[in-house]
Amino acid sequence: MSTTVPFASQLPHLGEPDIFLKAGPETVGVHSSILLPKALALGKSHPHAQFIELPNISPQTLHSLLNYVYTGAYVPPAPTEGLDPPRPESTTSSSPSTPLMYSVCTPATPLTTPARLLEAYALAQSLETEDYKLKVAKDIVSRTNAQTVWEFLAGCDQLGQTCDSVRSMCEAFIAKHGLTPASHLDGEKPTERKIKERRVKRVRQDHAEE
């Protein structure tokens, strides 16, 4: 199903979109002249594509990326499913089959989850959107604390090599602050606790050898 939002009046000179991105249930119309110079991987792998599906990416994360691509302003992805950023006022009537044409600014969302931020980082990595990836990385660093570091680390384990840099940052944070998972794992199963305790031990050993 496509999200219906008419083309925003701020960028009428761009005309109609010529690439459509699909993230989850939402299809977004964008302009190759804006997107491809900033998403280098798409320019290499899909230089003439008109429809590109982005698996395992939420609409909220795609909105965050496109907001940065179009405006240069970084706004974290909305924190929960169904919580989309506000849209500009309509300039034309809408149709349920019309994909969203993206050219809007979104408000800050301080409650964005670690998993959603890692999703944004992985998307930027895969598209080679380096400036946006740097913004997300700085956001991740600013939100890393004694509790969230474990959430970021668990997310990195799921995403694999895509988030190696974030994983290294988390492991360095754990080693620097001498953290152990026991302080916030009361609700976890013993096996989960053991896995994280082994990871802490390995991180400390690695840093001791350096």
Side-chain angles (χ1 to χ4, degrees), residues 3 7 16-22 26-32 50 62 66 70 98-103:
T3 298
F7 185 66
E16 296 295 321
D18 54 355
I19 298 179
F20 295 89
L21 305 178
K22 187 175 188 301
E26 189 166 304
T27 301
V28 183
V30 298
H31 303 85
S32 60
Q50 294 181 327
L62 181 58
L66 293 178
Y70 272 87
T98 304
L100 174 131
M101 299 184 189
Y102 204 89
S103 61

Side-chain angles (χ1 to χ4, degrees), residues 6-7 88-94:
F7 185 66
E89 292 183 1
S90 301
T91 56
T92 62
S93 61
S94 60

Side-chain angles (χ1 to χ4, degrees), residues 69-84:
V69 166
Y70 272 87
T71 70
Y74 169 72
V75 179
T80 57
E81 295 295 338
L83 181 57
D84 286 326

Side-chain angles (χ1 to χ4, degrees), residues 24-44:
E26 189 166 304
T27 301
V28 183
V30 298
H31 303 85
S32 60
S33 60
I34 298 293
L35 178 64
L36 296 186
K38 298 179 181 179
L40 300 181
L42 287 182
K44 298 173 185 175

Side-chain angles (χ1 to χ4, degrees), residues 38 64-65 68-69 74 117-141 161-166:
K38 298 179 181 179
S64 174
L65 171 72
Y68 184 80
V69 166
Y74 169 72
L117 285 172
L118 288 173
E119 182 183 285
Y121 184 91
L123 177 61
Q125 177 86 333
S126 65
L127 298 183
E128 297 183 25
T129 311
E130 294 302 318
D131 289 348
Y132 177 72
K133 185 176 76 171
L134 181 61
K135 295 289 186 181
V136 177
K138 289 181 177 179
D139 196 1
I140 290 173
V141 170
Q161 294 182 349
T162 304
C163 291
D164 277 351
S165 295
V166 178

